[in-house]
Amino acid sequence: MRKKIVAGNWKMNMTKEEGQALISEVINMANDEVKSSTVLVLCPPAPHLGYAKKMFQSQSNVFLGAQNCHEKASGAYTGEISAPMLKSFEVDYVVLGHSERREYFKESDELLKAKTDQVLANQLIPIFCCGESLSQRQAGSGFIEFVCGQLTNSLFHLSAEQFAKVVIAYEPIWAIGTGLTASSEQAQEMHAALRKHIAAQYGEALAQEIPILYGGSAKPSNAPELFACPDVDGGLIGGASLKSRDFIDIAKAIK
Ligand code: PGA
């Protein structure tokens, strides 16, 4: 059985007080309402990581994620955060290649390859984001090949043993923060194509084990239909992860 994961990407939101309140609400609701087999990952901005872990240390299904890390282990890179540091703060997951990082910080497939290596070398789990732009989608063809190519370029140098640790998040850029959501047919089509692409490189058995999350304006109203797709294994949630009720309702959509 593939892991089912609902990850909350807070992006650059939340003061310490707001973050503490949100985490305690999420923990309380998760205890009562979310299946223990559903993995929750909270990805707050870096300053929150230290206290956040302490808040849910005793929760068996709540994990800590970072939103990014540098491709080098240490050095003179003012303002950056390394994978060994994240590991030392007991971070479990690292989001890599979010479209906002690809767009605003010019992160290339090549750079993400190096970041993936750093993350895995430090026993962290990458949540590797991929997805096409609106113009690519509207062109009507080639967008599936483009998204598969993002995996080829940044991940397919990994050994099967390394790749087995990776979580993929398909996030169509046109759906992120826009209120537009991929239909369940569009999501399923892409997720199945990604799994087939992984199978061609690593074999069917491994491809069947890789969680592929959907991200892009996921909310309590559309999560049940998206998560019911056979190749959708959960979600990477932005805006709705800032409201405990919405985030938990989305997590409850995992059956
Ligand atoms: P959204 O963001 O849910 O606000 O669309 C998703 C993401 O960027 O991971």
Side-chain angles (χ1 to χ4, degrees), residues 69-77 80-85 111 114-115 118 122:
C69 79
H70 196 267
E71 69 276 18
K72 297 260 171 56
S74 64
Y77 301 99
E80 292 295 320
I81 294 165
S82 74
M85 283 176 213
L111 178 74
K115 289 191 178 201
Q118 257 308 310
N122 286 281

Side-chain angles (χ1 to χ4, degrees), residues 79-91:
E80 292 295 320
I81 294 165
S82 74
M85 283 176 213
L86 296 176
K87 186 68 188 172
S88 72
F89 277 89
E90 298 176 78
V91 168

Side-chain angles (χ1 to χ4, degrees), residues 5-14 22-23 26 38-45 48-49 52 56 61-68 93-95 98 127 169 171 213-215 218 227 234-244 246-248 250-251:
I5 302 172
V6 176
N9 173 12
W10 294 8
K11 308 194 181 184
M12 196 175 73
N13 293 295
M14 296 278 147
L22 177 58
I23 291 171
V26 166
T38 301
V39 172
L40 299 181
V41 183
L42 302 183
C43 306
H48 297 259
L49 293 171
F56 49 78
N61 66 334
V62 186
F63 294 85
L64 186 60
Q67 297 175 13
N68 178 35
Y93 291 79
V94 185
V95 176
H98 190 281
I127 301 179
E171 300 207 304
L213 316 183
Y214 168 80
F227 295 171
L236 179 55
I237 318 300
S241 74
L242 301 175
K243 296 192 190 111
S244 52
D246 286 358
F247 184 62
I248 292 297
I250 291 170

Side-chain angles (χ1 to χ4, degrees), residues 21 40 74 97 140 157 166-167 207:
L40 299 181
S74 64
H157 65 290
V166 173
V167 174

Side-chain angles (χ1 to χ4, degrees), residues 119-174:
V119 164
L120 288 170
N122 286 281
Q123 292 82 48
L124 296 157
I125 302 171
I127 301 179
F128 182 84
C129 302
C130 55
E132 81 286 1
S133 66
L134 182 60
S135 58
Q136 286 171 314
R137 170 65 66 166
Q138 284 175 336
S141 66
F143 57 88
I144 290 183
E145 291 76 6
F146 172 79
V147 179
C148 288
Q150 291 180 313
L151 266 57
T152 308
N153 297 343
S154 300
L155 300 178
F156 279 10
H157 65 290
L158 299 174
S159 67
E161 195 190 335
Q162 290 173 314
F163 194 87
K165 304 202 164 73
V166 173
V167 174
I168 305 289
Y170 167 57
E171 300 207 304
I173 300 170
W174 46 272

